[in-house]
Amino acid sequence: MNTPQFKDLKAVFINCTLKKSPKQSHTKGLIEVSKNIMEKEGISVEVIRAADYTLPNGIQPDMTTEGEEKDDWPKLFKKIIAADILVLCTPIWLGAKSSICTKIVERLYAMSAQQNEKGQYIYYGKAGGCLITGNEDGIKHCAMNMLYSLQHLGYSIPPQADAGWIGEVGPGPSYLDEESNAQESDFTNRNTTFMTYNLMHLASMLKQFGGYPAYGNLPEEWKDGKRWAFENPEYR
């Protein structure tokens, strides 16, 4: 079997920890596992720690138009949209993704009406996944929300597109704490590896075939009255 080639791909991880750099981030620890795999396969990878930037709440592309003094989102979005793969990464707080992760999803949503060069919604042809850390239950709950959000915006989700690590229920060691032994977890390492490769495979296929065909999914043509094979029952 020929070894797949991923060298023309770009990936962005967004770390939604609540801590600014250089504070330790357990989520960053798990990101490094996936990032290392991608880099060994020749992918260009960037990790963005959202807490290090000024990102106002809101669902406009640039919140300075709404009165905010500063908004770093437009420059971050240039990096995100240039990537073939986006991985949202978050700690779990109170059983849910972090408030910063919610903000990132909202800011991604603010751009979702934009269109690519084919006239499709802008995230078409890009692959998305998620990584989650915590020391209580909630990985699947967070992943359901995050992956739904990404696919609703237009990202493509491969099989096994989420991975994570949690400790025992209750206060306890986190991912990078030596006593957790988390980095030796076969389950987490397997899922993270499978997620990483499935993201790379899907992104590679989408890029190879030029994304999705521009047929049946063009918002401007729908506005102009084109309906493809759709038939409104009232016209029958």
Side-chain angles (χ1 to χ4, degrees), residues 78-212:
K78 289 179 182 178
K79 297 179 179 183
I80 293 166
I81 205 60
D84 305 289
I85 298 169
L86 173 64
V87 187
L88 286 182
C89 312
T90 185
I92 297 171
W93 295 110
L94 297 175
K97 66 185 186 296
S98 74
S99 57
I100 289 180
C101 190
T102 296
K103 182 188 294 186
I104 292 298
V105 170
E106 290 169 348
R107 300 309 304 269
L108 288 168
Y109 178 63
M111 319 303 281
S112 62
Q114 296 185 20
Q115 296 170 13
N116 63 20
E117 66 280 359
K118 294 181 181 179
Q120 301 164 317
Y121 290 122
I122 197 164
Y123 301 120
Y124 273 42
K126 299 178 183 297
C130 64
L131 289 171
I132 300 158
T133 60
N135 58 18
E136 294 195 44
D137 200 4
I139 288 176
K140 289 182 173 63
H141 170 76
C142 294
M144 284 190 294
N145 180 276
M146 294 162 72
L147 294 179
Y148 167 78
S149 297
L150 287 175
Q151 68 81 29
H152 183 75
L153 296 179
Y155 277 91
S156 297
I157 311 300
Q160 188 63 58
D162 63 291
W165 181 87
I166 48 173
E168 303 181 343
V169 173
S174 295
Y175 182 77
L176 290 176
D177 294 331
E178 186 175 347
E179 61 268 35
S180 74
N181 202 35
Q183 295 172 73
E184 301 302 319
S185 168
D186 183 73
F187 185 81
T188 295
N189 289 336
R190 183 199 68 187
N191 284 1
T192 303
T193 300
F194 285 11
M195 179 210 75
T196 304
Y197 275 100
N198 287 343
L199 282 167
M200 293 190 292
H201 286 310
L202 179 57
S204 180
M205 288 188 286
L206 287 168
K207 191 156 193 171
Q208 179 182 350
F209 290 102
Y212 289 94

Side-chain angles (χ1 to χ4, degrees), residues 7-21:
K7 290 182 172 56
D8 62 339
L9 298 177
K10 295 179 181 179
V12 167
F13 291 76
I14 302 182
N15 184 354
C16 297
T17 176
L18 302 182
K19 306 167 189 170
K20 292 186 177 182
S21 299

